[in-house]
């Protein structure tokens, strides 16, 4: 019997990355297409199918794909749809699982949002192997989360549970968040939130800072990190502020599910002690006594370049075993002229 693979697909606002993954979590090969190239969703699916088929053909894997997992913004595991995505051009309801499965000859497809996919990847291949209770936090442009309780992702009644990035951390005069509410964790502790904090600090404080040499509206979290590493006081205070808010929010999250660990992923999570020291201090100081010393805060073990595909591929294995379909041969790839 041929060695089985799954296909992992990560749909981002700019790029769609897809890869062939084996049962040990090895990415055999991967490629990408531009997500927003096509205004018509069917045209996008056609290009995705073509790109995947050429990748499978090049790796002798056309008849070995057993399931397809997809991580995408606002993807609903229950319905198989992307619902009201903020950065995709194909309408408010996108029948993603149905269209992809049809394009690939009926291979089972499961979808979820990108943070849930990251949690599945961590549980299958990374730092959460062997854990049944943990919370995955992705610190990128936004703050995403995936909650695992007793070995199962928490989806809630409608597939939308687990949006911990939209816990309100500032009740009075909080920043407006992209979700439409005010004071959300994401508005403060994402990469864009750090940049917003930098602009606020520079406006209300008077001491010198290398950040003042930059156009204030163009400052990024990377600029703040570089300045903090160089010893800039305001930049270091920005990380102190961000880490403290995160730690306090994590203490509130622990009350809900008493996880073994909170696992951090994303560019901001790589800030080292600049972020982790104030985060862990605030976390321990804010915990209820019965929870102290029980929950670790650790970094993801997934290789960043493969993490999105691995997370989605873990969902592909779930799709395979959920539907228990036999091996099948995909439609033949057309050779380029």
């Amino acid at each position: 019997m041929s060695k089985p693979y799954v296909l992992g697909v990560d749909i981002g606002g700019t790029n769609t990355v897809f890869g062939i993954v084996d049962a040990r979590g090895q990415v055999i090969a991967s490629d990408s297409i531009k997500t927003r190239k096509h205004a018509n969703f069917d045209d996008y699916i056609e290009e995705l199918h073509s790109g995947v088929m050429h990748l499978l053909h090049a790796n002798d894997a056309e008849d070995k794909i057993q399931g397809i997992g997809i991580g995408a913004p606002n993807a609903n595991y229950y319905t198989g749809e992307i619902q009201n995505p903020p950065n995709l051009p194909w309408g408010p309801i996108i029948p993603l699982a149905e269209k992809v499965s049809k394009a690939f000859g009926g291979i089972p497809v499961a979808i979820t949002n990108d943070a849930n996919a990251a949690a599945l990847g961590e549980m299958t291949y990374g730092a959460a192997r062997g854990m049944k209770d943990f919370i995955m936090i992705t610190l990128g442009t936004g703050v995403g989360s995936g909650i695992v309780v007793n070995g199962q992702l928490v989806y809630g009644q409608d597939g939308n549970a687990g949006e911990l990035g939209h816990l309100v951390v500032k009740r009075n005069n909080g920043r407006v968040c992209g979700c439409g509410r005010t004071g959300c964790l994401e508005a403060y502790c994402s990469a864009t939130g750090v940049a917003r904090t930098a602009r606020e600090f520079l406006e209300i404080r008077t001491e010198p800072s290398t950040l003042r040499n930059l156009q204030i509206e163009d400052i990024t979290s990377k600029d703040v990190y570089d300045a903090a590493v160089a010893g800039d006081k305001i930049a270091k205070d920005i990380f102190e502020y961000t880490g403290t808010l995160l730690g306090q929010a994590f203490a509130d999250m622990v009350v809900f599910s008493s996880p073994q660990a909170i696992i951090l992923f994303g560019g901001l999570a790589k800030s080292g002690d600049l972020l982790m020291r104030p985060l862990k201090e605030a976390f321990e100081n804010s915990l209820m006594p019965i929870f102290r010393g029980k929950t670790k805060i650790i970094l993801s073990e997934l290789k960043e370049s493969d993490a999105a595909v691995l997370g989605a591929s873990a969902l592909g294995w779930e799709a395979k075993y959920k539907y228990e379909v036999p091996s099948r041969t995909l439609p033949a790839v057309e050779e380029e002229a």
Side-chain angles (χ1 to χ4, degrees):
M1 183 177 177
S2 62
K3 186 176 180 181
Y5 297 131
V6 293
L7 186 72
V9 183
D10 177 69
I11 300 177
T14 303
N15 296 310
T16 295
V17 183
F18 48 87
I20 306 165
V21 181
D22 68 16
R24 293 189 297 177
Q26 298 296 314
V27 179
I28 306 304
S30 63
D31 203 349
S32 67
I33 62 172
K34 293 295 182 184
T35 301
R36 300 173 63 89
K37 178 180 176 181
H38 301 291
N40 183 281
F41 181 60
D42 288 337
D43 292 341
Y44 166 80
I45 291 293
E46 184 176 339
E47 183 177 5
L48 176 64
H49 176 264
S50 177
V52 168
M53 291 307 302
H54 280 92
L55 188 69
L56 297 178
H57 180 69
N59 290 275
D60 190 29
E62 294 103 316
D63 61 344
K64 298 175 184 177
I65 298 299
Q66 301 290 298
I68 300 174
I70 305 176
N74 290 34
N76 190 304
Y77 175 80
Y78 290 149
T79 67
E81 298 169 335
I82 297 178
Q83 300 173 338
N84 301 304
N87 297 309
L88 297 178
W90 306 309
I93 302 296
I94 304 166
L96 181 62
E98 174 190 347
K99 292 280 189 177
V100 172
S101 181
K102 183 177 180 180
F104 288 95
I107 287 178
V109 175
I111 74 172
T112 192
N113 69 47
D114 40 4
N116 282 341
L120 284 170
E122 209 68 53
M123 184 164 55
T124 307
Y125 309 117
R129 281 173 295 183
M131 291 186 190
K132 290 188 176 181
D133 297 272
F134 70 94
I135 296 173
M136 185 81 187
I137 299 290
T138 59
L139 299 174
T141 304
V143 175
S145 60
I147 305 169
V148 174
V149 175
N150 198 27
Q152 299 292 318
L153 268 169
V154 174
Y155 287 111
Q157 63 175 327
D158 58 0
N160 294 316
E163 292 288 350
L164 297 177
H166 298 287
L167 291 175
V168 174
V169 296
K170 292 288 185 180
R171 291 286 171 188
N172 298 313
N173 301 314
R175 295 173 185 168
V176 175
C177 180
C179 74
R181 303 210 300 169
T182 58
C184 292
L185 183 67
E186 179 170 292
Y188 293 87
C189 296
S190 61
T192 51
V194 168
R196 291 173 76 173
T197 300
R199 290 191 282 273
E200 288 183 4
F201 277 31
L202 290 171
E203 287 175 354
I204 64 177
R205 292 172 56 165
T206 59
E207 65 261 53
S209 171
T210 57
L211 294 173
R212 299 189 188 279
N213 298 328
L214 305 172
Q215 290 292 327
I216 192 167
E217 292 301 322
D218 295 333
I219 291 173
T220 67
S221 61
K222 177 65 163 54
D223 295 327
V224 179
Y225 172 77
D226 290 341
V229 169
D232 187 282
K233 177 67 165 60
I234 286 183
K236 290 168 72 174
D237 286 351
I238 291 167
F239 273 99
E240 185 84 19
Y241 179 74
T242 304
T244 297
L245 284 177
L246 274 173
Q248 291 169 346
F250 288 176
D252 289 341
M253 295 175 193
V254 165
V255 173
F256 165 69
S257 63
S258 189
Q260 295 164 265
I262 297 174
I263 302 171
L264 306 184
F265 178 80
L268 200 58
K270 296 180 178 180
S271 302
D273 281 347
L274 284 169
L275 183 73
M276 296 301 286
R277 182 195 54 75
L279 190 163
K280 289 183 176 180
E281 286 181 3
F283 177 68
E284 291 298 332
N285 290 337
S286 303
L287 280 170
M288 285 179 62
I290 60 171
F291 293 112
R292 286 179 185 153
K294 297 179 180 178
T295 300
K296 300 178 290 184
I297 297 177
I298 57 179
L299 299 179
S300 167
E301 291 182 359
L302 297 182
K303 182 181 176 184
E304 185 167 7
S305 60
D306 293 337
V309 164
L310 283 175
S313 77
L315 199 61
W317 293 113
E318 184 173 319
K320 163 183 162 58
Y321 293 116
K322 179 178 179 181
Y323 296 103
E324 288 294 336
V325 298
S327 298
R328 65 190 74 200
T329 301
L330 292 171
V333 62
E334 294 182 4
E335 295 293 342
E336 293 182 343

